[in-house]
């Protein structure tokens, strides 16, 4: 490149623009090199800038690819015990020829359809997620029977928001798991979800439990770490998660800014 630039300047440009002075003789390689150095520097700068820009784009693409792969992996870690427990419950109701069996099958089918097909996108319609949470809660409620009460309240007038699917599942599943594992009666699980006009989702889930050995890992489970990681990836600086634990009550409070359609 240096040789080509020197040749173009000495043999073409100087003979055209300076035919009677500089175009008459060759001053030498050193002088010519110093003469064309600004041009070479500019061209080299453009080349380095172009390479750096391409490399940065490649790094960003790789980072996004890794992030998407990590999100898919986190989303795929659905607790298989949910399916096994509900199949066992369904089997028990079928043996007893309970009239609840058809509705249980319908709700289980709806939940599995949502998990397998509707959750392929990064964000889903808020209305679909709320409907799924209600079905999911009804299925988990089968574990309680007459041992306590479960209430779920949802309040939203806006339908133009989207949410990452299965974000709230873990909190509800943990509430049932720890309540049923430590209590044989007086179980109380309360779930509240509201969304204001600005798209701020306020989710609260509270459950009672007895402080026995099998609840020592309330806040250390894989599912909880999973959802914390997803929140960091999908809602950086747009969510606030608080977990509180008292003598007989475990509470989760999550506020997050939803995406618009």
């Amino acid at each position: 490149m240096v040789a080509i630039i020197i040749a173009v300047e000495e043999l073409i440009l100087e003979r055209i623009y300076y035919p009677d002075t500089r175009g008459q003789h060759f001053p030498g390689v050193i002088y010519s090199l110093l003469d064309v150095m600004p041009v070479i520097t500019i061209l080299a700068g453009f080349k380095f800038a172009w390479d750096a820009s391409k490399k940065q784009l490649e790094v960003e693409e790789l980072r996004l690819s890794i992030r998407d792969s990590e999100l898919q992996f986190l989303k795929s870690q659905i607790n298989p015990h949910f399916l096994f427990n509900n199949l066992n419950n369904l089997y028990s109701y079928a043996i007893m020829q309970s009239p609840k069996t058809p509705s249980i099958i319908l709700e289980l089918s709806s939940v599995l359809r949502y998990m397998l097909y509707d959750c392929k996108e990064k964000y889903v319609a808020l209305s679909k997620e709320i409907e799924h949470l209600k079905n999911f809660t009804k299925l988990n409620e089968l574990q309680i029977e007459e041992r306590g009460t479960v209430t779920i309240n949802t309040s939203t007038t806006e339908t133009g928001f989207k949410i990452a699917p299965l974000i709230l599942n873990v909190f509800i599943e943990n509430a049932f798991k720890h309540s049923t594992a430590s209590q044989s009666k007086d179980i109380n699980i309360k779930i509240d979800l509201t969304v204001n006009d600005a798209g701020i989702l306020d989710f609260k889930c509270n459950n009672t439990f007895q402080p026995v050995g099998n609840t020592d890992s309330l806040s250390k489970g894989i599912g909880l770490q999973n959802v914390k990681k997803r929140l960091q990836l999908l809602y950086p600086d747009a969510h606030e998660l608080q977990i509180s634990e008292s003598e007989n009550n475990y509470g989760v409070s999550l506020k997050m800014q939803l995406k618009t359609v």
Side-chain angles (χ1 to χ4, degrees):
M1 182 62 69
V2 172
I4 290 173
I5 293 175
I6 292 176
V8 169
E9 180 162 340
E10 295 295 334
L11 301 178
I12 299 175
L13 296 180
E14 288 188 356
R15 293 187 180 185
I16 292 176
Y17 294 103
Y18 308 101
D20 298 328
T21 54
R22 294 168 60 181
Q24 295 293 325
H25 64 282
F26 180 64
V29 175
I30 302 297
Y31 179 84
S32 298
L33 184 61
L34 293 175
D35 192 33
V36 300
M37 188 58 68
V39 177
I40 294 174
T41 302
I42 293 173
L43 292 175
F46 277 121
K47 180 65 168 63
F48 286 131
W50 176 260
D51 288 346
S53 177
K54 287 182 62 178
K55 185 63 67 176
Q56 185 64 30
L57 287 175
E58 292 175 358
V59 170
E60 289 298 327
E61 289 177 358
L62 182 60
R63 186 177 299 163
L64 288 174
S65 176
I66 293 174
R67 175 179 166 178
D68 290 341
S69 299
E70 186 174 6
L71 282 172
Q72 289 298 325
F73 173 72
L74 291 172
K75 190 190 297 184
S76 68
Q77 290 182 318
I78 304 300
N79 192 348
H81 294 295
F82 164 76
L83 181 59
F84 294 141
N85 287 339
N86 280 283
L87 288 176
N88 286 333
N89 289 331
L90 181 59
Y91 176 76
S92 299
Y93 278 99
I95 289 294
M96 295 185 297
Q97 297 182 350
S98 170
K100 295 181 180 179
T101 304
S103 62
I104 295 173
I105 295 174
L106 188 62
E107 288 169 1
L108 179 59
S109 174
S110 177
V111 168
L112 292 179
R113 186 185 305 109
Y114 182 81
M115 288 181 171
L116 294 175
Y117 300 110
D118 295 342
C119 293
K120 291 182 179 180
E121 300 296 329
K122 185 181 293 187
Y123 299 99
V124 298
L126 178 62
S127 56
K128 284 189 175 182
E129 182 73 6
I130 291 176
E131 181 183 357
H132 162 71
L133 290 176
K134 289 179 178 178
N135 292 332
F136 185 76
T137 302
K138 287 180 182 177
L139 284 175
N140 280 281
E141 195 174 353
L142 296 175
Q143 304 174 38
I144 293 180
E145 293 292 345
E146 305 299 326
R147 293 188 289 161
T149 59
V150 177
T151 58
I152 177 169
N153 300 310
T154 60
S155 176
T156 173
T157 58
E158 295 293 325
T159 58
F161 294 108
K162 286 192 172 185
I163 185 174
L166 307 179
I167 281 283
L168 307 177
N169 268 41
V170 173
F171 304 121
I172 297 176
E173 186 177 5
N174 280 351
F176 280 95
K177 180 172 66 176
H178 293 294
S179 287
T180 56
S182 63
Q183 288 181 273
S184 58
K185 61 180 181 178
D186 298 327
I187 294 173
N188 185 16
I189 298 175
K190 185 177 181 182
I191 303 163
D192 293 294
L193 187 153
T194 61
V195 180
N196 63 19
D197 295 340
I200 303 295
L201 181 143
D202 189 356
F203 173 81
K204 290 182 173 61
C205 182
N206 292 276
N207 67 276
T208 56
F209 74 98
Q210 294 296 322
V212 295
N214 58 3
T215 60
D216 290 340
S217 60
L218 260 173
S219 59
K220 302 178 182 178
I222 295 176
L224 193 57
Q225 298 303 320
N226 179 319
V227 77
K228 286 181 178 179
K229 183 66 173 178
R230 286 189 67 200
L231 284 170
Q232 291 173 2
L233 291 171
L234 293 170
Y235 297 95
D237 303 320
H239 77 278
E240 180 182 350
L241 176 63
Q242 294 181 341
I243 298 176
S244 60
E245 181 179 351
S246 62
E247 184 178 355
N248 298 105
N249 187 271
Y250 187 81
V252 174
S253 175
L254 173 64
K255 290 185 178 181
M256 54 196 293
Q257 175 65 60
L258 298 179
K259 306 288 185 178
T260 55
V261 175

